[in-house]
């Protein structure tokens, strides 16, 4: 395979004082973000995915609770191998961070806690999503290892 940008985690932090808590990811730059949405699973361990994009970049951040993000790089967008390596990263509202998913990857997810909320930022406009949206059955690759 050719060289491709890899997913990266941008760490953040928390500031707690008598007034409350401020969570932040100061190194995240919103340049390129066209839209955002949130996902709030009904229950933990219910898998969601797989969705891939050849052109669209995504950024994931847990606002509340913990969420497992599974990442795979399809070797063929129409019929990818089922035994590809899967990277798994846990995002937590208690440890602010933004996970960057560059173009060329598919992701799946599962909440690890009740009440988990994931914010997804997207570089792709909604009108372009239909031409760059590759969906695979939720069991195509294992989300949880």
């Amino acid at each position: 395979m050719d060289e491709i940008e890899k997913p990266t985690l941008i760490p953040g932090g928390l500031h707690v004082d008598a007034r409350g808590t401020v969570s932040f990811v100061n190194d995240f730059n919103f340049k390129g973000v066209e839209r955002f949405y949130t996902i709030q699973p009904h229950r933990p361990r219910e898998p969601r995915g797989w969705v891939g994009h050849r052109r669209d970049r995504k950024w994931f951040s847990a606002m509340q609770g913990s969420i497992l993000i599974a990442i795979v790089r399809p070797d063929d967008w129409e019929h990818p191998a089922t035994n590809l390596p899967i990277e798994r990263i846990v995002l937590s509202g208690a440890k602010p961070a933004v996970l960057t998913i560059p173009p060329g990857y598919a992701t799946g997810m599962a909440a690890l806690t009740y009440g988990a909320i994931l914010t997804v930022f997207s570089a792709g406009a909604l009108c372009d999503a239909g031409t760059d949206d590759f969906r695979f059955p939720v069991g195509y690759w294992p989300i949880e290892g």
Side-chain angles (χ1 to χ4, degrees), residues 41-53:
H42 289 300
R43 59 192 130 304
R45 306 287 183 196
E46 188 169 336
R48 183 181 183 102
W50 291 87
V51 180
H53 304 282

Side-chain angles (χ1 to χ4, degrees), residues 5-72:
E5 184 181 353
K6 302 216 182 316
T8 56
L9 193 63
I10 305 167
L14 293 171
H15 174 78
V16 181
D17 64 20
R19 300 167 294 171
T21 302
V22 175
S23 61
F24 55 88
V25 183
N26 290 337
D27 291 332
F28 176 60
N29 182 329
F30 282 86
K31 184 178 179 182
V33 173
E34 288 286 324
R35 60 191 173 96
F36 78 96
Y37 51 92
T38 62
I39 299 171
Q40 186 171 4
H42 289 300
R43 59 192 130 304
R45 306 287 183 196
E46 188 169 336
R48 183 181 183 102
W50 291 87
V51 180
H53 304 282
R54 291 167 79 169
R55 298 183 311 271
D56 192 2
R57 175 181 303 274
K58 300 284 189 187
W59 297 270
F60 297 144
S61 186
M63 298 291 103
Q64 182 174 298
S66 295
I67 300 172
L68 173 68
I69 306 294
I71 309 160
V72 67

Side-chain angles (χ1 to χ4, degrees), residues 107-124:
T107 58
M109 62 159 287
L112 300 176
T113 58
Y114 281 99
I117 300 173
L118 180 71
T119 298
V120 181
F121 302 97
S122 177

Side-chain angles (χ1 to χ4, degrees), residues 73-124:
R73 181 177 176 209
D75 57 347
D76 177 318
W77 287 94
E78 300 304 321
H79 304 286
T82 58
N83 63 346
L84 297 171
I86 299 166
E87 182 177 0
R88 293 173 180 87
I89 296 174
V90 174
L91 299 176
S92 171
K95 188 175 180 184
V98 173
L99 175 61
T100 303
I101 306 295
Y105 289 89
T107 58
M109 62 159 287
L112 300 176
T113 58
Y114 281 99
I117 300 173
L118 180 71
T119 298
V120 181
F121 302 97
S122 177

